[in-house]
Amino acid sequence: MNKNRLEAFSDGVLAIIITIMVLELKVPHGSSLQALTPLIPVFMSYVLSFIFVGIYWNNHHHMMQLAKKVNGKVLWANLHLLFWLSLFPFATAWMGENHYETWPVVMYGCVMFMAAMAYFILESALKKLHGPDSEFANTFGTTIKDTVSCLAYVVAIGGSFITPWVGIACYVFIAIIWFIPERRVEKR
């Protein structure tokens, strides 16, 4: 199967996700700068999630550059990823509107962790489809960033029960390490 429809659909879904997230930013009542103060947690949550959506879009784009074909398993794996990404607006809004309280921060981490697992499943499905000796399989594989970010999600989720700021710090850390796209793809 041709990969073009998968790419176009994924790009469309990601654009809608960003649109939904920005629509959660409500206009303050009042014209002073102080009227913006209650919106700071919502805005910061939006910024963090926007960066994560951008990271997923960049890495998905790079992955699809090396994919030569897709099959039914890849299509379902991609939908699985899009499902978890589609929960970003909910998790983002809940966390921001509740000023980083424990359960919203935990839920945010769970959604992020599941999105990371779904991305791994998509990558694995593409590796299997292209074969163990393919350029795709030789380019993609578990990296230190993968391992560190999965561990950081676990620490974030558990640590948020101690203080939600452990979770927030871990999410920011993960965003920082993934901000730069994968060099192994750009080298190919």
Side-chain angles (χ1 to χ4, degrees), residues 1-7 60-72 74-75 122-123 125-131 133-140 184-185 187-188:
M1 289 185 216
N2 189 310
K3 65 179 183 168
N4 294 342
R5 290 196 64 208
L6 178 142
E7 289 176 296
H60 190 273
H61 171 73
H62 282 109
M63 183 168 48
M64 288 299 131
Q65 290 299 305
L66 282 178
K68 305 294 183 215
K69 56 189 174 182
V70 296
N71 63 10
V74 170
L75 294 177
L122 174 59
E123 187 179 287
L126 282 163
K127 278 196 275 188
K128 185 174 182 182
L129 175 64
H130 287 80
D133 297 325
S134 66
E135 180 181 25
F136 189 93
N138 289 326
T139 302
F140 289 96
R184 56 192 167 159
V185 176
K187 289 178 184 177
R188 298 272 178 180

Side-chain angles (χ1 to χ4, degrees), residues 54-129:
I55 288 165
Y56 276 101
W57 182 81
N58 270 306
N59 287 319
H60 190 273
H61 171 73
H62 282 109
M63 183 168 48
M64 288 299 131
Q65 290 299 305
L66 282 178
K68 305 294 183 215
K69 56 189 174 182
V70 296
N71 63 10
K73 289 180 181 179
V74 170
L75 294 177
W76 281 109
N78 193 69
L79 282 171
H80 180 233
L81 171 62
L82 294 176
F83 169 77
W84 290 107
L85 294 177
S86 74
L87 292 175
F88 279 23
F90 169 77
T92 301
W94 195 33
M95 184 172 71
E97 288 178 18
N98 288 289
H99 299 243
Y100 309 110
E101 290 182 23
T102 300
W103 279 109
V105 173
V106 168
M107 175 63 76
Y108 186 85
C110 290
V111 169
M112 293 298 192
F113 179 76
M114 292 306 296
M117 293 299 101
Y119 187 90
F120 173 77
I121 291 168
L122 174 59
E123 187 179 287
S124 297
L126 282 163
K127 278 196 275 188
K128 185 174 182 182
L129 175 64

Side-chain angles (χ1 to χ4, degrees), residues 25 36 38-49 92 96 100:
L25 296 175
L36 294 172
L39 299 177
I40 291 172
V42 175
F43 180 73
M44 296 310 296
S45 296
Y46 168 76
V47 169
L48 181 62
S49 292
T92 301
Y100 309 110

